[in-house]
mmCIF file with all atom_site columns, all heavy atoms in Angstrom:
data_model
loop_
_atom_site.group_PDB
_atom_site.id
_atom_site.type_symbol
_atom_site.label_atom_id
_atom_site.label_alt_id
_atom_site.label_comp_id
_atom_site.label_asym_id
_atom_site.label_entity_id
_atom_site.label_seq_id
_atom_site.pdbx_PDB_ins_code
_atom_site.Cartn_x
_atom_site.Cartn_y
_atom_site.Cartn_z
_atom_site.occupancy
_atom_site.B_iso_or_equiv
_atom_site.pdbx_formal_charge
_atom_site.auth_seq_id
_atom_site.auth_comp_id
_atom_site.auth_asym_id
_atom_site.auth_atom_id
_atom_site.pdbx_PDB_model_num
ATOM 1   N N   . SER A 1 1  ? 9.084   -1.414  -4.009  1.00 0.00 ? 1  SER A N   1
ATOM 2   C CA  . SER A 1 1  ? 9.760   -1.501  -2.720  1.00 0.00 ? 1  SER A CA  1
ATOM 3   C C   . SER A 1 1  ? 9.540   -0.171  -2.028  1.00 0.00 ? 1  SER A C   1
ATOM 4   O O   . SER A 1 1  ? 9.887   0.876   -2.577  1.00 0.00 ? 1  SER A O   1
ATOM 5   C CB  . SER A 1 1  ? 11.254  -1.756  -2.907  1.00 0.00 ? 1  SER A CB  1
ATOM 6   O OG  . SER A 1 1  ? 11.460  -2.992  -3.532  1.00 0.00 ? 1  SER A OG  1
ATOM 7   N N   . LEU A 1 2  ? 8.933   -0.228  -0.864  1.00 0.00 ? 2  LEU A N   1
ATOM 8   C CA  . LEU A 1 2  ? 8.594   0.994   -0.144  1.00 0.00 ? 2  LEU A CA  1
ATOM 9   C C   . LEU A 1 2  ? 9.154   0.963   1.266   1.00 0.00 ? 2  LEU A C   1
ATOM 10  O O   . LEU A 1 2  ? 9.326   -0.111  1.844   1.00 0.00 ? 2  LEU A O   1
ATOM 11  C CB  . LEU A 1 2  ? 7.077   1.160   -0.044  1.00 0.00 ? 2  LEU A CB  1
ATOM 12  C CG  . LEU A 1 2  ? 6.278   1.136   -1.332  1.00 0.00 ? 2  LEU A CG  1
ATOM 13  C CD1 . LEU A 1 2  ? 5.562   -0.175  -1.496  1.00 0.00 ? 2  LEU A CD1 1
ATOM 14  C CD2 . LEU A 1 2  ? 5.279   2.260   -1.338  1.00 0.00 ? 2  LEU A CD2 1
ATOM 15  N N   . LYS A 1 3  ? 9.405   2.130   1.805   1.00 0.00 ? 3  LYS A N   1
ATOM 16  C CA  . LYS A 1 3  ? 9.715   2.290   3.222   1.00 0.00 ? 3  LYS A CA  1
ATOM 17  C C   . LYS A 1 3  ? 8.556   3.112   3.779   1.00 0.00 ? 3  LYS A C   1
ATOM 18  O O   . LYS A 1 3  ? 8.316   4.242   3.334   1.00 0.00 ? 3  LYS A O   1
ATOM 19  C CB  . LYS A 1 3  ? 11.047  3.002   3.419   1.00 0.00 ? 3  LYS A CB  1
ATOM 20  C CG  . LYS A 1 3  ? 12.236  2.153   2.992   1.00 0.00 ? 3  LYS A CG  1
ATOM 21  C CD  . LYS A 1 3  ? 13.534  2.757   3.455   1.00 0.00 ? 3  LYS A CD  1
ATOM 22  C CE  . LYS A 1 3  ? 14.728  1.953   2.996   1.00 0.00 ? 3  LYS A CE  1
ATOM 23  N NZ  . LYS A 1 3  ? 14.809  0.633   3.532   1.00 0.00 ? 3  LYS A NZ  1
ATOM 24  N N   . LEU A 1 4  ? 7.834   2.499   4.732   1.00 0.00 ? 4  LEU A N   1
ATOM 25  C CA  . LEU A 1 4  ? 6.638   3.133   5.284   1.00 0.00 ? 4  LEU A CA  1
ATOM 26  C C   . LEU A 1 4  ? 6.793   3.378   6.777   1.00 0.00 ? 4  LEU A C   1
ATOM 27  O O   . LEU A 1 4  ? 7.318   2.525   7.499   1.00 0.00 ? 4  LEU A O   1
ATOM 28  C CB  . LEU A 1 4  ? 5.406   2.240   5.058   1.00 0.00 ? 4  LEU A CB  1
ATOM 29  C CG  . LEU A 1 4  ? 5.118   1.795   3.631   1.00 0.00 ? 4  LEU A CG  1
ATOM 30  C CD1 . LEU A 1 4  ? 3.881   0.904   3.599   1.00 0.00 ? 4  LEU A CD1 1
ATOM 31  C CD2 . LEU A 1 4  ? 4.945   2.985   2.709   1.00 0.00 ? 4  LEU A CD2 1
ATOM 32  N N   . GLU A 1 5  ? 6.308   4.530   7.227   1.00 0.00 ? 5  GLU A N   1
ATOM 33  C CA  . GLU A 1 5  ? 6.290   4.819   8.656   1.00 0.00 ? 5  GLU A CA  1
ATOM 34  C C   . GLU A 1 5  ? 5.388   3.806   9.349   1.00 0.00 ? 5  GLU A C   1
ATOM 35  O O   . GLU A 1 5  ? 4.383   3.369   8.784   1.00 0.00 ? 5  GLU A O   1
ATOM 36  C CB  . GLU A 1 5  ? 5.728   6.220   8.919   1.00 0.00 ? 5  GLU A CB  1
ATOM 37  C CG  . GLU A 1 5  ? 6.655   7.331   8.550   1.00 0.00 ? 5  GLU A CG  1
ATOM 38  C CD  . GLU A 1 5  ? 6.051   8.708   8.839   1.00 0.00 ? 5  GLU A CD  1
ATOM 39  O OE1 . GLU A 1 5  ? 4.925   8.792   9.385   1.00 0.00 ? 5  GLU A OE1 1
ATOM 40  O OE2 . GLU A 1 5  ? 6.720   9.694   8.493   1.00 0.00 ? 5  GLU A OE2 1
ATOM 41  N N   . ASP A 1 6  ? 5.743   3.450   10.548  1.00 0.00 ? 6  ASP A N   1
ATOM 42  C CA  . ASP A 1 6  ? 4.934   2.527   11.347  1.00 0.00 ? 6  ASP A CA  1
ATOM 43  C C   . ASP A 1 6  ? 3.769   3.297   11.967  1.00 0.00 ? 6  ASP A C   1
ATOM 44  O O   . ASP A 1 6  ? 3.735   3.562   13.161  1.00 0.00 ? 6  ASP A O   1
ATOM 45  C CB  . ASP A 1 6  ? 5.808   1.875   12.423  1.00 0.00 ? 6  ASP A CB  1
ATOM 46  C CG  . ASP A 1 6  ? 5.039   0.863   13.250  1.00 0.00 ? 6  ASP A CG  1
ATOM 47  O OD1 . ASP A 1 6  ? 4.001   0.357   12.773  1.00 0.00 ? 6  ASP A OD1 1
ATOM 48  O OD2 . ASP A 1 6  ? 5.474   0.577   14.374  1.00 0.00 ? 6  ASP A OD2 1
ATOM 49  N N   . THR A 1 7  ? 2.839   3.685   11.092  1.00 0.00 ? 7  THR A N   1
ATOM 50  C CA  . THR A 1 7  ? 1.671   4.456   11.495  1.00 0.00 ? 7  THR A CA  1
ATOM 51  C C   . THR A 1 7  ? 0.430   3.781   10.929  1.00 0.00 ? 7  THR A C   1
ATOM 52  O O   . THR A 1 7  ? 0.431   3.337   9.772   1.00 0.00 ? 7  THR A O   1
ATOM 53  C CB  . THR A 1 7  ? 1.756   5.900   10.939  1.00 0.00 ? 7  THR A CB  1
ATOM 54  O OG1 . THR A 1 7  ? 3.012   6.465   11.345  1.00 0.00 ? 7  THR A OG1 1
ATOM 55  C CG2 . THR A 1 7  ? 0.627   6.758   11.439  1.00 0.00 ? 7  THR A CG2 1
ATOM 56  N N   . LYS A 1 8  ? -0.615  3.714   11.727  1.00 0.00 ? 8  LYS A N   1
ATOM 57  C CA  . LYS A 1 8  ? -1.846  3.061   11.307  1.00 0.00 ? 8  LYS A CA  1
ATOM 58  C C   . LYS A 1 8  ? -2.384  3.684   10.013  1.00 0.00 ? 8  LYS A C   1
ATOM 59  O O   . LYS A 1 8  ? -2.458  4.902   9.884   1.00 0.00 ? 8  LYS A O   1
ATOM 60  C CB  . LYS A 1 8  ? -2.902  3.171   12.413  1.00 0.00 ? 8  LYS A CB  1
ATOM 61  C CG  . LYS A 1 8  ? -4.181  2.460   12.083  1.00 0.00 ? 8  LYS A CG  1
ATOM 62  C CD  . LYS A 1 8  ? -5.159  2.272   13.216  1.00 0.00 ? 8  LYS A CD  1
ATOM 63  C CE  . LYS A 1 8  ? -5.380  3.405   14.139  1.00 0.00 ? 8  LYS A CE  1
ATOM 64  N NZ  . LYS A 1 8  ? -6.488  3.206   15.072  1.00 0.00 ? 8  LYS A NZ  1
ATOM 65  N N   . GLY A 1 9  ? -2.707  2.823   9.025   1.00 0.00 ? 9  GLY A N   1
ATOM 66  C CA  . GLY A 1 9  ? -3.360  3.266   7.810   1.00 0.00 ? 9  GLY A CA  1
ATOM 67  C C   . GLY A 1 9  ? -2.454  3.599   6.644   1.00 0.00 ? 9  GLY A C   1
ATOM 68  O O   . GLY A 1 9  ? -2.950  3.858   5.541   1.00 0.00 ? 9  GLY A O   1
ATOM 69  N N   . VAL A 1 10 ? -1.135  3.597   6.835   1.00 0.00 ? 10 VAL A N   1
ATOM 70  C CA  . VAL A 1 10 ? -0.228  3.975   5.745   1.00 0.00 ? 10 VAL A CA  1
ATOM 71  C C   . VAL A 1 10 ? -0.282  2.942   4.615   1.00 0.00 ? 10 VAL A C   1
ATOM 72  O O   . VAL A 1 10 ? -0.457  3.298   3.448   1.00 0.00 ? 10 VAL A O   1
ATOM 73  C CB  . VAL A 1 10 ? 1.223   4.169   6.233   1.00 0.00 ? 10 VAL A CB  1
ATOM 74  C CG1 . VAL A 1 10 ? 2.151   4.470   5.065   1.00 0.00 ? 10 VAL A CG1 1
ATOM 75  C CG2 . VAL A 1 10 ? 1.296   5.287   7.260   1.00 0.00 ? 10 VAL A CG2 1
ATOM 76  N N   . LEU A 1 11 ? -0.155  1.666   4.945   1.00 0.00 ? 11 LEU A N   1
ATOM 77  C CA  . LEU A 1 11 ? -0.211  0.632   3.910   1.00 0.00 ? 11 LEU A CA  1
ATOM 78  C C   . LEU A 1 11 ? -1.572  0.623   3.224   1.00 0.00 ? 11 LEU A C   1
ATOM 79  O O   . LEU A 1 11 ? -1.669  0.471   2.005   1.00 0.00 ? 11 LEU A O   1
ATOM 80  C CB  . LEU A 1 11 ? 0.111   -0.748  4.496   1.00 0.00 ? 11 LEU A CB  1
ATOM 81  C CG  . LEU A 1 11 ? 0.113   -1.915  3.506   1.00 0.00 ? 11 LEU A CG  1
ATOM 82  C CD1 . LEU A 1 11 ? 1.078   -1.671  2.350   1.00 0.00 ? 11 LEU A CD1 1
ATOM 83  C CD2 . LEU A 1 11 ? 0.455   -3.211  4.223   1.00 0.00 ? 11 LEU A CD2 1
ATOM 84  N N   . SER A 1 12 ? -2.613  0.833   3.977   1.00 0.00 ? 12 SER A N   1
ATOM 85  C CA  . SER A 1 12 ? -3.960  0.903   3.405   1.00 0.00 ? 12 SER A CA  1
ATOM 86  C C   . SER A 1 12 ? -4.076  2.064   2.416   1.00 0.00 ? 12 SER A C   1
ATOM 87  O O   . SER A 1 12 ? -4.684  1.933   1.344   1.00 0.00 ? 12 SER A O   1
ATOM 88  C CB  . SER A 1 12 ? -4.994  1.056   4.524   1.00 0.00 ? 12 SER A CB  1
ATOM 89  O OG  . SER A 1 12 ? -6.288  1.157   3.984   1.00 0.00 ? 12 SER A OG  1
ATOM 90  N N   . ALA A 1 13 ? -3.486  3.203   2.747   1.00 0.00 ? 13 ALA A N   1
ATOM 91  C CA  . ALA A 1 13 ? -3.507  4.362   1.851   1.00 0.00 ? 13 ALA A CA  1
ATOM 92  C C   . ALA A 1 13 ? -2.741  4.060   0.559   1.00 0.00 ? 13 ALA A C   1
ATOM 93  O O   . ALA A 1 13 ? -3.153  4.467   -0.530  1.00 0.00 ? 13 ALA A O   1
ATOM 94  C CB  . ALA A 1 13 ? -2.926  5.590   2.548   1.00 0.00 ? 13 ALA A CB  1
ATOM 95  N N   . VAL A 1 14 ? -1.628  3.325   0.677   1.00 0.00 ? 14 VAL A N   1
ATOM 96  C CA  . VAL A 1 14 ? -0.842  2.944   -0.499  1.00 0.00 ? 14 VAL A CA  1
ATOM 97  C C   . VAL A 1 14 ? -1.664  2.029   -1.401  1.00 0.00 ? 14 VAL A C   1
ATOM 98  O O   . VAL A 1 14 ? -1.764  2.251   -2.608  1.00 0.00 ? 14 VAL A O   1
ATOM 99  C CB  . VAL A 1 14 ? 0.492   2.264   -0.090  1.00 0.00 ? 14 VAL A CB  1
ATOM 100 C CG1 . VAL A 1 14 ? 1.157   1.591   -1.283  1.00 0.00 ? 14 VAL A CG1 1
ATOM 101 C CG2 . VAL A 1 14 ? 1.422   3.288   0.536   1.00 0.00 ? 14 VAL A CG2 1
ATOM 102 N N   . THR A 1 15 ? -2.280  1.003   -0.818  1.00 0.00 ? 15 THR A N   1
ATOM 103 C CA  . THR A 1 15 ? -3.067  0.079   -1.646  1.00 0.00 ? 15 THR A CA  1
ATOM 104 C C   . THR A 1 15 ? -4.283  0.770   -2.240  1.00 0.00 ? 15 THR A C   1
ATOM 105 O O   . THR A 1 15 ? -4.696  0.434   -3.351  1.00 0.00 ? 15 THR A O   1
ATOM 106 C CB  . THR A 1 15 ? -3.489  -1.179  -0.854  1.00 0.00 ? 15 THR A CB  1
ATOM 107 O OG1 . THR A 1 15 ? -4.234  -0.798  0.297   1.00 0.00 ? 15 THR A OG1 1
ATOM 108 C CG2 . THR A 1 15 ? -2.282  -2.001  -0.457  1.00 0.00 ? 15 THR A CG2 1
ATOM 109 N N   . ASN A 1 16 ? -4.833  1.742   -1.546  1.00 0.00 ? 16 ASN A N   1
ATOM 110 C CA  . ASN A 1 16 ? -5.945  2.509   -2.108  1.00 0.00 ? 16 ASN A CA  1
ATOM 111 C C   . ASN A 1 16 ? -5.491  3.301   -3.335  1.00 0.00 ? 16 ASN A C   1
ATOM 112 O O   . ASN A 1 16 ? -6.200  3.351   -4.344  1.00 0.00 ? 16 ASN A O   1
ATOM 113 C CB  . ASN A 1 16 ? -6.553  3.447   -1.055  1.00 0.00 ? 16 ASN A CB  1
ATOM 114 C CG  . ASN A 1 16 ? -7.800  4.125   -1.574  1.00 0.00 ? 16 ASN A CG  1
ATOM 115 O OD1 . ASN A 1 16 ? -8.753  3.458   -1.975  1.00 0.00 ? 16 ASN A OD1 1
ATOM 116 N ND2 . ASN A 1 16 ? -7.782  5.451   -1.585  1.00 0.00 ? 16 ASN A ND2 1
ATOM 117 N N   . GLU A 1 17 ? -4.311  3.912   -3.273  1.00 0.00 ? 17 GLU A N   1
ATOM 118 C CA  . GLU A 1 17 ? -3.772  4.637   -4.436  1.00 0.00 ? 17 GLU A CA  1
ATOM 119 C C   . GLU A 1 17 ? -3.587  3.687   -5.620  1.00 0.00 ? 17 GLU A C   1
ATOM 120 O O   . GLU A 1 17 ? -3.883  4.032   -6.756  1.00 0.00 ? 17 GLU A O   1
ATOM 121 C CB  . GLU A 1 17 ? -2.439  5.314   -4.105  1.00 0.00 ? 17 GLU A CB  1
ATOM 122 C CG  . GLU A 1 17 ? -2.553  6.589   -3.332  1.00 0.00 ? 17 GLU A CG  1
ATOM 123 C CD  . GLU A 1 17 ? -3.247  7.709   -4.093  1.00 0.00 ? 17 GLU A CD  1
ATOM 124 O OE1 . GLU A 1 17 ? -3.087  7.821   -5.330  1.00 0.00 ? 17 GLU A OE1 1
ATOM 125 O OE2 . GLU A 1 17 ? -3.960  8.483   -3.439  1.00 0.00 ? 17 GLU A OE2 1
ATOM 126 N N   . LEU A 1 18 ? -3.076  2.487   -5.338  1.00 0.00 ? 18 LEU A N   1
ATOM 127 C CA  . LEU A 1 18 ? -2.884  1.504   -6.399  1.00 0.00 ? 18 LEU A CA  1
ATOM 128 C C   . LEU A 1 18 ? -4.225  1.123   -7.027  1.00 0.00 ? 18 LEU A C   1
ATOM 129 O O   . LEU A 1 18 ? -4.350  1.023   -8.246  1.00 0.00 ? 18 LEU A O   1
ATOM 130 C CB  . LEU A 1 18 ? -2.159  0.267   -5.863  1.00 0.00 ? 18 LEU A CB  1
ATOM 131 C CG  . LEU A 1 18 ? -0.728  0.514   -5.399  1.00 0.00 ? 18 LEU A CG  1
ATOM 132 C CD1 . LEU A 1 18 ? -0.175  -0.704  -4.693  1.00 0.00 ? 18 LEU A CD1 1
ATOM 133 C CD2 . LEU A 1 18 ? 0.158   0.923   -6.560  1.00 0.00 ? 18 LEU A CD2 1
ATOM 134 N N   . PHE A 1 19 ? -5.223  0.924   -6.190  1.00 0.00 ? 19 PHE A N   1
ATOM 135 C CA  . PHE A 1 19 ? -6.572  0.624   -6.687  1.00 0.00 ? 19 PHE A CA  1
ATOM 136 C C   . PHE A 1 19 ? -7.092  1.759   -7.561  1.00 0.00 ? 19 PHE A C   1
ATOM 137 O O   . PHE A 1 19 ? -7.646  1.518   -8.639  1.00 0.00 ? 19 PHE A O   1
ATOM 138 C CB  . PHE A 1 19 ? -7.525  0.381   -5.505  1.00 0.00 ? 19 PHE A CB  1
ATOM 139 C CG  . PHE A 1 19 ? -8.965  0.339   -5.901  1.00 0.00 ? 19 PHE A CG  1
ATOM 140 C CD1 . PHE A 1 19 ? -9.494  -0.777  -6.541  1.00 0.00 ? 19 PHE A CD1 1
ATOM 141 C CD2 . PHE A 1 19 ? -9.796  1.422   -5.655  1.00 0.00 ? 19 PHE A CD2 1
ATOM 142 C CE1 . PHE A 1 19 ? -10.836 -0.810  -6.917  1.00 0.00 ? 19 PHE A CE1 1
ATOM 143 C CE2 . PHE A 1 19 ? -11.125 1.401   -6.031  1.00 0.00 ? 19 PHE A CE2 1
ATOM 144 C CZ  . PHE A 1 19 ? -11.645 0.283   -6.667  1.00 0.00 ? 19 PHE A CZ  1
ATOM 145 N N   . MET A 1 20 ? -6.893  2.987   -7.122  1.00 0.00 ? 20 MET A N   1
ATOM 146 C CA  . MET A 1 20 ? -7.418  4.155   -7.841  1.00 0.00 ? 20 MET A CA  1
ATOM 147 C C   . MET A 1 20 ? -6.811  4.309   -9.238  1.00 0.00 ? 20 MET A C   1
ATOM 148 O O   . MET A 1 20 ? -7.455  4.848   -10.131 1.00 0.00 ? 20 MET A O   1
ATOM 149 C CB  . MET A 1 20 ? -7.197  5.437   -7.024  1.00 0.00 ? 20 MET A CB  1
ATOM 150 C CG  . MET A 1 20 ? -7.937  5.454   -5.702  1.00 0.00 ? 20 MET A CG  1
ATOM 151 S SD  . MET A 1 20 ? -9.721  5.296   -5.882  1.00 0.00 ? 20 MET A SD  1
ATOM 152 C CE  . MET A 1 20 ? -10.127 6.910   -6.503  1.00 0.00 ? 20 MET A CE  1
ATOM 153 N N   . VAL A 1 21 ? -5.584  3.821   -9.439  1.00 0.00 ? 21 VAL A N   1
ATOM 154 C CA  . VAL A 1 21 ? -4.951  3.944   -10.758 1.00 0.00 ? 21 VAL A CA  1
ATOM 155 C C   . VAL A 1 21 ? -5.065  2.658   -11.584 1.00 0.00 ? 21 VAL A C   1
ATOM 156 O O   . VAL A 1 21 ? -4.506  2.568   -12.672 1.00 0.00 ? 21 VAL A O   1
ATOM 157 C CB  . VAL A 1 21 ? -3.473  4.389   -10.660 1.00 0.00 ? 21 VAL A CB  1
ATOM 158 C CG1 . VAL A 1 21 ? -3.369  5.743   -9.972  1.00 0.00 ? 21 VAL A CG1 1
ATOM 159 C CG2 . VAL A 1 21 ? -2.611  3.339   -9.984  1.00 0.00 ? 21 VAL A CG2 1
ATOM 160 N N   . GLY A 1 22 ? -5.778  1.667   -11.052 1.00 0.00 ? 22 GLY A N   1
ATOM 161 C CA  . GLY A 1 22 ? -6.021  0.448   -11.814 1.00 0.00 ? 22 GLY A CA  1
ATOM 162 C C   . GLY A 1 22 ? -4.984  -0.646  -11.669 1.00 0.00 ? 22 GLY A C   1
ATOM 163 O O   . GLY A 1 22 ? -4.998  -1.624  -12.413 1.00 0.00 ? 22 GLY A O   1
ATOM 164 N N   . ALA A 1 23 ? -4.078  -0.527  -10.697 1.00 0.00 ? 23 ALA A N   1
ATOM 165 C CA  . ALA A 1 23 ? -3.106  -1.597  -10.456 1.00 0.00 ? 23 ALA A CA  1
ATOM 166 C C   . ALA A 1 23 ? -3.789  -2.696  -9.645  1.00 0.00 ? 23 ALA A C   1
ATOM 167 O O   . ALA A 1 23 ? -4.651  -2.419  -8.821  1.00 0.00 ? 23 ALA A O   1
ATOM 168 C CB  . ALA A 1 23 ? -1.896  -1.064  -9.700  1.00 0.00 ? 23 ALA A CB  1
ATOM 169 N N   . ASN A 1 24 ? -3.402  -3.937  -9.890  1.00 0.00 ? 24 ASN A N   1
ATOM 170 C CA  . ASN A 1 24 ? -3.966  -5.077  -9.170  1.00 0.00 ? 24 ASN A CA  1
ATOM 171 C C   . ASN A 1 24 ? -2.881  -5.681  -8.294  1.00 0.00 ? 24 ASN A C   1
ATOM 172 O O   . ASN A 1 24 ? -1.924  -6.258  -8.800  1.00 0.00 ? 24 ASN A O   1
ATOM 173 C CB  . ASN A 1 24 ? -4.501  -6.109  -10.173 1.00 0.00 ? 24 ASN A CB  1
ATOM 174 C CG  . ASN A 1 24 ? -5.120  -7.296  -9.501  1.00 0.00 ? 24 ASN A CG  1
ATOM 175 O OD1 . ASN A 1 24 ? -5.538  -7.233  -8.357  1.00 0.00 ? 24 ASN A OD1 1
ATOM 176 N ND2 . ASN A 1 24 ? -5.174  -8.410  -10.208 1.00 0.00 ? 24 ASN A ND2 1
ATOM 177 N N   . VAL A 1 25 ? -3.017  -5.554  -6.986  1.00 0.00 ? 25 VAL A N   1
ATOM 178 C CA  . VAL A 1 25 ? -2.017  -6.063  -6.046  1.00 0.00 ? 25 VAL A CA  1
ATOM 179 C C   . VAL A 1 25 ? -2.115  -7.585  -5.987  1.00 0.00 ? 25 VAL A C   1
ATOM 180 O O   . VAL A 1 25 ? -3.186  -8.139  -5.733  1.00 0.00 ? 25 VAL A O   1
ATOM 181 C CB  . VAL A 1 25 ? -2.203  -5.457  -4.644  1.00 0.00 ? 25 VAL A CB  1
ATOM 182 C CG1 . VAL A 1 25 ? -1.221  -6.068  -3.652  1.00 0.00 ? 25 VAL A CG1 1
ATOM 183 C CG2 . VAL A 1 25 ? -2.036  -3.938  -4.695  1.00 0.00 ? 25 VAL A CG2 1
ATOM 184 N N   . LEU A 1 26 ? -0.992  -8.252  -6.231  1.00 0.00 ? 26 LEU A N   1
ATOM 185 C CA  . LEU A 1 26 ? -0.934  -9.709  -6.226  1.00 0.00 ? 26 LEU A CA  1
ATOM 186 C C   . LEU A 1 26 ? -0.361  -10.257 -4.932  1.00 0.00 ? 26 LEU A C   1
ATOM 187 O O   . LEU A 1 26 ? -0.772  -11.311 -4.460  1.00 0.00 ? 26 LEU A O   1
ATOM 188 C CB  . LEU A 1 26 ? -0.101  -10.200 -7.415  1.00 0.00 ? 26 LEU A CB  1
ATOM 189 C CG  . LEU A 1 26 ? -0.602  -9.747  -8.790  1.00 0.00 ? 26 LEU A CG  1
ATOM 190 C CD1 . LEU A 1 26 ? 0.402   -10.122 -9.862  1.00 0.00 ? 26 LEU A CD1 1
ATOM 191 C CD2 . LEU A 1 26 ? -1.963  -10.333 -9.087  1.00 0.00 ? 26 LEU A CD2 1
ATOM 192 N N   . SER A 1 27 ? 0.628   -9.555  -4.365  1.00 0.00 ? 27 SER A N   1
ATOM 193 C CA  . SER A 1 27 ? 1.203   -10.000 -3.096  1.00 0.00 ? 27 SER A CA  1
ATOM 194 C C   . SER A 1 27 ? 1.788   -8.816  -2.339  1.00 0.00 ? 27 SER A C   1
ATOM 195 O O   . SER A 1 27 ? 2.208   -7.823  -2.942  1.00 0.00 ? 27 SER A O   1
ATOM 196 C CB  . SER A 1 27 ? 2.280   -11.065 -3.307  1.00 0.00 ? 27 SER A CB  1
ATOM 197 O OG  . SER A 1 27 ? 3.427   -10.501 -3.883  1.00 0.00 ? 27 SER A OG  1
ATOM 198 N N   . ILE A 1 28 ? 1.789   -8.959  -1.016  1.00 0.00 ? 28 ILE A N   1
ATOM 199 C CA  . ILE A 1 28 ? 2.368   -7.942  -0.133  1.00 0.00 ? 28 ILE A CA  1
ATOM 200 C C   . ILE A 1 28 ? 3.261   -8.659  0.869   1.00 0.00 ? 28 ILE A C   1
ATOM 201 O O   . ILE A 1 28 ? 2.849   -9.637  1.483   1.00 0.00 ? 28 ILE A O   1
ATOM 202 C CB  . ILE A 1 28 ? 1.284   -7.151  0.633   1.00 0.00 ? 28 ILE A CB  1
ATOM 203 C CG1 . ILE A 1 28 ? 0.349   -6.433  -0.324  1.00 0.00 ? 28 ILE A CG1 1
ATOM 204 C CG2 . ILE A 1 28 ? 1.932   -6.173  1.615   1.00 0.00 ? 28 ILE A CG2 1
ATOM 205 C CD1 . ILE A 1 28 ? -0.845  -5.774  0.359   1.00 0.00 ? 28 ILE A CD1 1
ATOM 206 N N   . ASN A 1 29 ? 4.477   -8.160  1.017   1.00 0.00 ? 29 ASN A N   1
ATOM 207 C CA  . ASN A 1 29 ? 5.395   -8.703  2.016   1.00 0.00 ? 29 ASN A CA  1
ATOM 208 C C   . ASN A 1 29 ? 5.892   -7.527  2.851   1.00 0.00 ? 29 ASN A C   1
ATOM 209 O O   . ASN A 1 29 ? 6.524   -6.619  2.324   1.00 0.00 ? 29 ASN A O   1
ATOM 210 C CB  . ASN A 1 29 ? 6.557   -9.431  1.348   1.00 0.00 ? 29 ASN A CB  1
ATOM 211 C CG  . ASN A 1 29 ? 7.476   -10.069 2.354   1.00 0.00 ? 29 ASN A CG  1
ATOM 212 O OD1 . ASN A 1 29 ? 7.123   -10.253 3.500   1.00 0.00 ? 29 ASN A OD1 1
ATOM 213 N ND2 . ASN A 1 29 ? 8.676   -10.385 1.917   1.00 0.00 ? 29 ASN A ND2 1
ATOM 214 N N   . GLN A 1 30 ? 5.588   -7.550  4.141   1.00 0.00 ? 30 GLN A N   1
ATOM 215 C CA  . GLN A 1 30 ? 5.986   -6.462  5.021   1.00 0.00 ? 30 GLN A CA  1
ATOM 216 C C   . GLN A 1 30 ? 6.862   -6.991  6.141   1.00 0.00 ? 30 GLN A C   1
ATOM 217 O O   . GLN A 1 30 ? 6.496   -7.946  6.826   1.00 0.00 ? 30 GLN A O   1
ATOM 218 C CB  . GLN A 1 30 ? 4.755   -5.774  5.617   1.00 0.00 ? 30 GLN A CB  1
ATOM 219 C CG  . GLN A 1 30 ? 5.102   -4.634  6.551   1.00 0.00 ? 30 GLN A CG  1
ATOM 220 C CD  . GLN A 1 30 ? 3.879   -3.890  7.052   1.00 0.00 ? 30 GLN A CD  1
ATOM 221 O OE1 . GLN A 1 30 ? 2.781   -4.055  6.541   1.00 0.00 ? 30 GLN A OE1 1
ATOM 222 N NE2 . GLN A 1 30 ? 4.071   -3.065  8.056   1.00 0.00 ? 30 GLN A NE2 1
#
């Protein structure tokens, strides 16, 4: 559960971090 600033690219940066550590994103609800 995250609170993200309404700024372009923030969610993308989060999912990139998850990818970099080997997590597999199954669903996103914003």
Side-chain angles (χ1 to χ4, degrees):
S1 297
L2 305 104
K3 291 192 182 296
L4 306 179
E5 287 180 3
D6 182 22
T7 306
K8 183 168 42 171
V10 176
L11 181 56
S12 179
V14 167
T15 58
N16 187 57
E17 282 295 325
L18 295 171
F19 168 76
M20 297 301 286
V21 300
N24 181 23
V25 176
L26 302 172
S27 71
I28 300 173
N29 183 17
Q30 180 175 347

